Amino acid sequence: MEQDFQLILLAKDRMEEIIPLVVLLNNNSIPAPLLRDRLIPMLANGYQCLGVYHKGQLIGISGFWILHKFYVGKHVEPDNVFIMPEYRSSGVGKLMIDWIISYARSIDCTVSEVNCYIKNERGKQFWMNQGYEAIGYHMQKVL
């Protein structure tokens, strides 16, 4: 496969391009209109997204947040990472994370944190291969 991937930090007016991939990321369990509605306040709160294109087609995304927390300070949190199945294991994920880490360093982030579902063994292995370590649990209570 050709390795001519184009990485683009998507402008707010292009963010809707990610919705079809976010639908797939969520196994078609969240309808696209609801995802579009949820994207609006996310963008207002600093959500950004890196898109990876191959021959003009969006084939991968990694959203991210720049956050500030007491215990870690200014940091980047990749979120909603998805690569089209036919492009997995081709280095796209590493390209995205390397880009995000470089960007984060350029704006003085000192740490990167990520959440990964417990049952996502392939995802956990990917993040460990990128140098991430498990330090706790991501817990949720539905209200």
Side-chain angles (χ1 to χ4, degrees), residues 2-139:
E2 287 182 41
Q3 299 298 315
D4 57 340
F5 300 117
Q6 183 180 20
L7 283 75
I8 298 174
L9 180 59
L10 298 173
K12 284 185 179 183
D13 65 352
R14 291 187 66 183
M15 281 292 192
E16 283 209 16
E17 292 179 31
I18 73 172
I19 297 300
L21 273 64
V22 179
V23 168
L24 295 173
L25 171 65
N26 289 282
N27 298 312
N28 297 297
S29 66
I30 306 172
L34 180 55
L35 292 171
R36 282 186 193 89
D37 289 346
R38 289 177 176 175
L39 180 60
I40 294 165
M42 289 170 60
L43 292 172
N45 285 298
Y47 184 75
Q48 300 179 68
C49 190
L50 179 66
V52 180
Y53 293 80
H54 184 248
K55 297 182 179 178
Q57 178 184 356
L58 183 62
I59 58 99
I61 56 172
S62 180
F64 61 94
W65 306 85
I66 304 301
L67 302 168
H68 299 260
K69 294 182 183 172
F70 284 121
Y71 76 96
V72 73
K74 186 177 183 181
H75 66 287
V76 64
E77 183 179 309
D79 192 20
N80 303 305
V81 179
F82 181 80
I83 300 164
M84 295 296 287
E86 60 270 28
Y87 289 92
R88 293 178 187 163
S89 300
S90 67
V92 172
K94 181 171 176 23
L95 283 173
M96 287 193 297
I97 300 311
D98 287 351
W99 188 99
I100 289 170
I101 295 299
S102 177
Y103 174 75
R105 284 184 173 132
S106 79
I107 59 170
D108 299 322
C109 291
T110 57
V111 172
S112 177
E113 293 189 331
V114 68
N115 291 305
C116 185
Y117 291 115
I118 292 169
K119 293 182 180 180
N120 184 355
E121 293 299 327
R122 190 168 180 191
K124 285 189 282 188
Q125 188 61 53
F126 170 79
W127 292 114
M128 287 189 289
N129 289 345
Q130 304 311 307
Y132 289 77
E133 296 178 19
I135 62 167
Y137 293 102
H138 177 94
M139 302 175 89

